[in-house]
Amino acid sequence: TMYSILYTAHIVLFKVRPDLLLINGPGTCLPVALWAFVLRVINVMSIFGYGREKGKIVFIESFCRVKSLSLTGKILQTLRIVDLFL
């Protein structure tokens, strides 16, 4: 499962480069969010990018989590790689 997530995330994030990445609660979204963040940082720091920030990351917490965040939500909030946390 992890291999397929990283393989498809590489195809989608590196080749397509979406403007918006919507992710939600399960832990399988964590590698995708980290990979998207790394690609965004590399693009901002590259000579050809000139600081153009592309690929906003939006995390949507599960509706059933009303009192506390999921573990994935806590990790993403601590690392501060998400642009919008809902």
Side-chain angles (χ1 to χ4, degrees), residues 9 11 14-15 29 33-34 44-46 50-51 53 62 69 81:
I11 291 172
F14 189 70
K15 293 184 179 179
C29 74
L34 291 173
V44 169
M45 296 174 71
S46 71
Y50 286 125
E53 186 176 331
S62 175
L69 296 175
I81 65 171

Side-chain angles (χ1 to χ4, degrees), residues 59-77:
F59 179 78
I60 302 172
E61 185 63 81
S62 175
F63 186 70
C64 65
R65 305 292 293 194
V66 294
K67 293 187 179 182
S68 65
L69 296 175
S70 63
L71 180 59
T72 306
K74 290 176 184 176
I75 292 171
L76 290 174
Q77 190 175 35

Side-chain angles (χ1 to χ4, degrees), residues 21-32:
L21 181 66
L22 290 174
I23 53 176
N24 61 357
T28 54
C29 74
L30 189 59
V32 175

